Amino acid sequence: MHQPTFDVDAASILFNLSGYRVVSASPAVGGEQPRQVLIETTATEGACPSCGVLSSRVQARPTQRVKDAPCGGEALEVVVRKRRYACREPLCPRRSFTEETDQLPARARVTTRLVEQVISACRAEPRAVSRVSHEAGLSWPTVMRMLTSTVDLDTGVDRRHVRHLGIDEHRFRTVRYLRDPDTHAVRRVEPWSIVFTDLDDGAILDVVDGRRGKVVTSWLAARPRWWRRRVQVVALDMSSEFRAAVRKALPKARVSVDHWHVVRLANEMITKVRRRRVWELHERRGRASDAPWKYRKLLTCAGDRLTVRQRTKLQEILAEDVELAVAWGIKEHVRQVLTATDTSSFQRHWAALERAVRATRLPEPAALFRTLRAWRRELLTFCRTRVTNARTEAANLTVKTIKRVGRGYRNHRNYRCRIIGYAPRPIAA
């Protein structure tokens, strides 16, 4: 039986392109022309795409330059010598056809292994598409077209059983100012995106363009009825517009406010009191010589986590200003409310917070308590369920990393493709 000698050809083994053998190779000429390799398929016949009849009659051998993965650590110019077979079926309307392979489909200018390498480089880590395209010797639109056409952007949201839903927004790109061509009025445009996540495993369900509550309502309304009924808790930051949208689209779901935003509001309250007291006492901004300004981070720390040295220093600072001490105590009352795990303990800590706020006439604690009172129902839901929006915030951190690495995105479709296609995240399908 005849055995072809090219099966053990050393150059073909090193080039390692499935279904092809190396015919010839030429070295690089200076810094102008890279190394060049001429390859052809190992098959000696092909099937007609129209009738399926096998043919081994070669009509022509055209050549074509294609992009391939680097070989030997340097770029390589690959020239493919294809076979154009003549169809042997007299009744077939196709007179001739060019051979196709898995590595080079019809009209392909890039090998399949290079496409897989590019997609893996973009999905394995948040790299810039421009950097990946430069390494592969391709253009940015070509790589982005590979991603948008290959990566499955359907996350299977409607087939997923979501019990705890997280919603949060982030800025999609910088602020723009657009002029209306008719009225010549300048309008401020703030591009934002909303991320929906499954809080049970942190999977990104979708990334939607917009910021308003109407976008949340539309996205939830597009889900099946059984899907909406299975959602038990929705975690949000302190956005009244998102809360109204969730209550309208998911009337049976409970809304849980993220405790991190509550603590941030309490810390902002004590910061406002500290700044106001500095202006009242010294008529200037805080300086390093002022103890409240020097140890301003200590005022926002949790009181039950301080060391003995930190607690002693804190007592010295609070002893010098009664109003600052009162504000710090109210901030600790807010933290006590968040430690509740049932309704009775929540009511007890809430009553203590209310008494502390009413006992003082400071405007900052009163404003904080008005905000917390508007979110009391959601605070109680958090204390009962302990459902937070931490996984959504983590997804937002990854999204912002992708945006910074890519130096921003102007097209939301490409932006969503990069986020959904990021492989290390949990798949939502």
Coordinates of all heavy atoms in Angstrom, one line a residue, residues 154-194:
D154 N -26.2 35.4 24.5 CA -27.5 35.0 25.2 C -27.1 34.3 26.5 O -26.6 33.1 26.5 CB -28.3 34.0 24.3 CG -29.6 33.6 25.0 OD1 -30.0 34.2 26.0 OD2 -30.2 32.6 24.5
T155 N -27.3 34.9 27.6 CA -26.9 34.4 28.9 C -27.9 33.4 29.5 O -27.7 32.9 30.6 CB -26.6 35.5 29.9 OG1 -27.8 36.3 30.0 CG2 -25.5 36.4 29.4
G156 N -29.0 33.2 28.7 CA -30.0 32.2 29.2 C -30.7 32.7 30.5 O -31.0 31.9 31.4
V157 N -31.0 34.0 30.5 CA -31.7 34.5 31.7 C -33.1 33.9 31.9 O -33.5 33.6 33.0 CB -31.8 36.1 31.5 CG1 -32.5 36.7 32.8 CG2 -30.4 36.7 31.4
D158 N -33.8 33.8 30.8 CA -35.2 33.3 30.9 C -35.2 31.8 31.2 O -36.3 31.3 31.5 CB -35.9 33.5 29.6 CG -36.1 35.0 29.3 OD1 -36.0 35.8 30.2 OD2 -36.3 35.4 28.1
R159 N -34.1 31.1 31.2 CA -34.1 29.7 31.5 C -33.5 29.5 32.9 O -33.3 28.3 33.3 CB -33.3 28.9 30.5 CG -33.8 29.0 29.1 CD -33.1 28.1 28.1 NE -31.7 28.4 28.1 CZ -31.1 29.3 27.3 NH1 -31.9 30.0 26.5 NH2 -29.8 29.6 27.3
R160 N -33.2 30.5 33.6 CA -32.5 30.5 34.9 C -33.5 30.8 36.0 O -34.3 31.7 35.9 CB -31.3 31.5 34.9 CG -30.4 31.3 36.1 CD -29.3 32.4 36.0 NE -28.4 32.2 37.1 CZ -27.3 31.4 37.2 NH1 -27.1 30.7 36.1 NH2 -26.5 31.4 38.2
H161 N -33.4 30.0 37.1 CA -34.2 30.2 38.3 C -33.5 31.2 39.3 O -32.5 30.8 39.9 CB -34.5 28.9 39.0 CG -35.3 27.9 38.1 ND1 -35.5 26.6 38.5 CD2 -35.9 28.1 37.0 CE1 -36.3 26.1 37.5 NE2 -36.5 26.9 36.6
V162 N -33.9 32.4 39.3 CA -33.2 33.4 40.1 C -34.1 33.7 41.3 O -35.3 34.1 41.1 CB -33.0 34.7 39.2 CG1 -32.4 35.8 40.1 CG2 -32.2 34.4 38.0
R163 N -33.6 33.5 42.5 CA -34.3 33.8 43.7 C -33.9 35.2 44.3 O -34.7 35.9 44.8 CB -34.1 32.7 44.7 CG -34.6 31.3 44.3 CD -34.5 30.3 45.4 NE -33.1 30.2 45.9 CZ -32.7 30.6 47.1 NH1 -33.5 31.2 48.0 NH2 -31.4 30.5 47.5
H164 N -32.6 35.5 44.2 CA -32.1 36.7 44.7 C -31.5 37.5 43.6 O -30.5 37.1 43.0 CB -31.1 36.5 45.8 CG -31.6 35.7 47.0 ND1 -30.8 34.9 47.8 CD2 -32.9 35.6 47.4 CE1 -31.6 34.4 48.7 NE2 -32.8 34.8 48.5
L165 N -32.0 38.7 43.3 CA -31.6 39.5 42.1 C -30.9 40.7 42.6 O -31.4 41.4 43.6 CB -32.9 39.9 41.3 CG -32.6 40.8 40.1 CD1 -31.8 40.0 39.0 CD2 -33.9 41.2 39.4
G166 N -29.8 41.1 42.0 CA -29.1 42.3 42.3 C -29.1 43.2 41.1 O -28.9 42.8 40.0
I167 N -29.3 44.5 41.4 CA -29.3 45.6 40.4 C -28.4 46.7 40.8 O -28.5 47.2 42.0 CB -30.8 46.1 40.2 CG1 -31.7 44.9 39.8 CG2 -30.8 47.1 39.1 CD1 -33.2 45.3 39.7
D168 N -27.6 47.2 39.9 CA -26.7 48.3 40.2 C -26.3 49.0 38.9 O -26.3 48.3 37.9 CB -25.5 47.9 41.0 CG -24.8 49.1 41.7 OD1 -25.4 50.2 41.7 OD2 -23.7 48.9 42.2
E169 N -26.0 50.3 39.0 CA -25.6 51.0 37.8 C -24.2 51.5 37.9 O -23.6 51.6 38.9 CB -26.6 52.2 37.5 CG -26.2 53.4 38.3 CD -26.7 53.3 39.8 OE1 -27.4 52.3 40.1 OE2 -26.4 54.2 40.6
H170 N -23.6 51.8 36.7 CA -22.3 52.3 36.6 C -22.2 53.2 35.4 O -23.0 53.0 34.5 CB -21.2 51.3 36.6 CG -21.2 50.4 35.4 ND1 -22.0 49.3 35.2 CD2 -20.5 50.5 34.2 CE1 -21.8 48.8 34.0 NE2 -20.9 49.5 33.4
R171 N -21.2 54.1 35.4 CA -21.1 55.0 34.2 C -20.4 54.2 33.1 O -19.4 53.6 33.2 CB -20.2 56.2 34.6 CG -20.2 57.3 33.5 CD -19.3 58.4 33.9 NE -19.7 59.1 35.1 CZ -20.5 60.1 35.2 NH1 -21.1 60.5 34.1 NH2 -20.8 60.7 36.3
F172 N -21.1 54.3 31.9 CA -20.6 53.5 30.7 C -19.5 54.3 30.0 O -18.5 53.7 29.6 CB -21.8 53.3 29.8 CG -21.4 53.0 28.4 CD1 -20.6 52.0 28.1 CD2 -22.0 53.7 27.3 CE1 -20.3 51.6 26.8 CE2 -21.6 53.4 26.0 CZ -20.8 52.4 25.7
R173 N -19.6 55.6 29.9 CA -18.5 56.4 29.3 C -18.6 57.8 29.9 O -19.4 58.1 30.8 CB -18.7 56.4 27.8 CG -20.0 56.9 27.3 CD -20.0 57.1 25.8 NE -19.1 58.2 25.4 CZ -18.8 58.5 24.2 NH1 -19.4 57.8 23.2 NH2 -17.9 59.4 23.9
T174 N -17.7 58.7 29.5 CA -17.6 60.0 30.0 C -18.9 60.8 29.6 O -19.6 60.5 28.6 CB -16.4 60.7 29.5 OG1 -16.4 60.7 28.1 CG2 -15.1 60.0 30.0
V175 N -19.1 61.9 30.3 CA -20.2 62.8 30.0 C -20.0 63.5 28.7 O -18.9 64.0 28.4 CB -20.4 63.8 31.2 CG1 -21.5 64.8 30.8 CG2 -20.7 63.1 32.5
R176 N -21.0 63.6 27.9 CA -21.0 64.4 26.6 C -22.0 65.5 26.6 O -23.0 65.4 27.3 CB -21.3 63.4 25.5 CG -20.2 62.4 25.2 CD -20.6 61.5 24.1 NE -21.8 60.8 24.3 CZ -22.5 60.1 23.4 NH1 -22.0 60.0 22.1 NH2 -23.6 59.4 23.7
Y177 N -21.7 66.5 25.8 CA -22.6 67.6 25.6 C -23.0 67.7 24.2 O -22.1 67.9 23.3 CB -22.0 68.9 26.1 CG -21.7 69.0 27.6 CD1 -20.5 68.5 28.1 CD2 -22.6 69.5 28.4 CE1 -20.2 68.6 29.4 CE2 -22.4 69.5 29.8 CZ -21.2 69.1 30.3 OH -20.9 69.1 31.6
L178 N -24.3 67.5 23.9 CA -24.8 67.5 22.5 C -25.6 68.7 22.2 O -26.4 69.1 23.1 CB -25.6 66.2 22.2 CG -24.8 64.9 22.5 CD1 -25.7 63.7 22.2 CD2 -23.6 64.8 21.6
R179 N -25.5 69.3 21.1 CA -26.3 70.4 20.7 C -27.4 70.0 19.7 O -27.2 69.3 18.7 CB -25.4 71.5 20.0 CG -26.2 72.8 19.6 CD -25.2 73.7 18.9 NE -24.1 74.1 19.8 CZ -24.2 75.1 20.6 NH1 -25.3 75.8 20.8 NH2 -23.1 75.4 21.4
D180 N -28.6 70.4 20.1 CA -29.8 70.1 19.3 C -29.7 70.9 18.0 O -29.6 72.1 18.0 CB -31.1 70.5 20.0 CG -32.3 69.8 19.4 OD1 -32.4 69.8 18.1 OD2 -33.2 69.4 20.1
P181 N -29.8 70.2 16.8 CA -29.7 71.0 15.5 C -30.8 72.0 15.3 O -30.6 72.9 14.5 CB -29.6 69.9 14.5 CG -30.2 68.7 15.1 CD -29.9 68.8 16.6
D182 N -32.0 71.7 15.9 CA -33.1 72.6 15.6 C -33.2 73.8 16.6 O -33.3 74.9 16.2 CB -34.4 71.8 15.7 CG -34.5 70.7 14.7 OD1 -33.9 70.9 13.6 OD2 -35.1 69.6 15.0
T183 N -33.1 73.5 17.9 CA -33.2 74.5 18.9 C -31.8 75.1 19.3 O -31.8 76.1 20.0 CB -33.9 74.0 20.2 OG1 -33.1 72.9 20.7 CG2 -35.3 73.4 19.8
H184 N -30.7 74.4 18.9 CA -29.4 74.8 19.3 C -29.1 74.8 20.8 O -28.2 75.5 21.3 CB -29.0 76.2 18.7 CG -29.1 76.3 17.2 ND1 -28.2 75.7 16.4 CD2 -30.1 76.8 16.4 CE1 -28.5 75.9 15.1 NE2 -29.7 76.6 15.1
A185 N -29.9 74.1 21.5 CA -29.8 74.0 23.0 C -28.8 72.9 23.3 O -28.8 71.8 22.6 CB -31.1 73.7 23.7
V186 N -27.9 73.1 24.3 CA -26.9 72.1 24.7 C -27.5 71.2 25.7 O -28.1 71.7 26.7 CB -25.7 72.8 25.2 CG1 -24.6 71.8 25.7 CG2 -25.1 73.7 24.1
R187 N -27.4 69.9 25.5 CA -28.0 68.9 26.4 C -26.9 68.1 27.0 O -26.0 67.6 26.2 CB -29.0 68.1 25.7 CG -29.7 67.0 26.5 CD -30.8 66.4 25.7 NE -30.4 65.9 24.4 CZ -30.0 64.6 24.2 NH1 -30.0 63.7 25.2 NH2 -29.7 64.2 23.0
R188 N -26.9 67.8 28.3 CA -25.9 67.0 28.9 C -26.4 65.5 28.9 O -27.5 65.2 29.3 CB -25.7 67.4 30.4 CG -24.8 66.6 31.2 CD -24.8 67.0 32.7 NE -24.0 66.1 33.5 CZ -22.8 66.4 33.9 NH1 -22.2 67.5 33.5 NH2 -22.1 65.6 34.7
V189 N -25.5 64.7 28.4 CA -25.8 63.3 28.2 C -24.8 62.5 29.1 O -23.6 62.6 29.0 CB -25.6 62.8 26.8 CG1 -25.9 61.3 26.7 CG2 -26.6 63.6 25.9
E190 N -25.4 61.7 30.0 CA -24.5 60.9 30.9 C -24.8 59.4 30.6 O -25.8 58.8 31.0 CB -24.9 61.2 32.4 CG -24.5 62.6 32.8 CD -24.6 62.7 34.3 OE1 -24.8 61.7 35.0 OE2 -24.4 63.8 34.8
P191 N -23.9 58.8 29.8 CA -24.2 57.4 29.5 C -24.0 56.5 30.7 O -22.9 56.5 31.3 CB -23.1 57.1 28.4 CG -22.6 58.4 28.0 CD -22.8 59.3 29.2
W192 N -25.0 55.7 31.0 CA -24.9 54.8 32.2 C -25.3 53.4 31.7 O -26.1 53.3 30.7 CB -25.8 55.2 33.3 CG -25.2 56.4 34.0 CD1 -25.3 57.7 33.6 CD2 -24.6 56.5 35.3 NE1 -24.7 58.6 34.5 CE2 -24.3 57.8 35.6 CE3 -24.2 55.5 36.2 CZ2 -23.6 58.2 36.7 CZ3 -23.6 55.9 37.4 CH2 -23.3 57.2 37.7
S193 N -24.9 52.4 32.4 CA -25.3 51.0 32.2 C -25.8 50.4 33.5 O -25.3 50.7 34.6 CB -24.2 50.2 31.6 OG -23.9 50.6 30.3
I194 N -26.7 49.5 33.4 CA -27.3 48.8 34.6 C -26.9 47.3 34.5 O -27.1 46.7 33.4 CB -28.8 48.9 34.6 CG1 -29.2 50.4 34.7 CG2 -29.4 48.2 35.8 CD1 -30.7 50.7 34.7

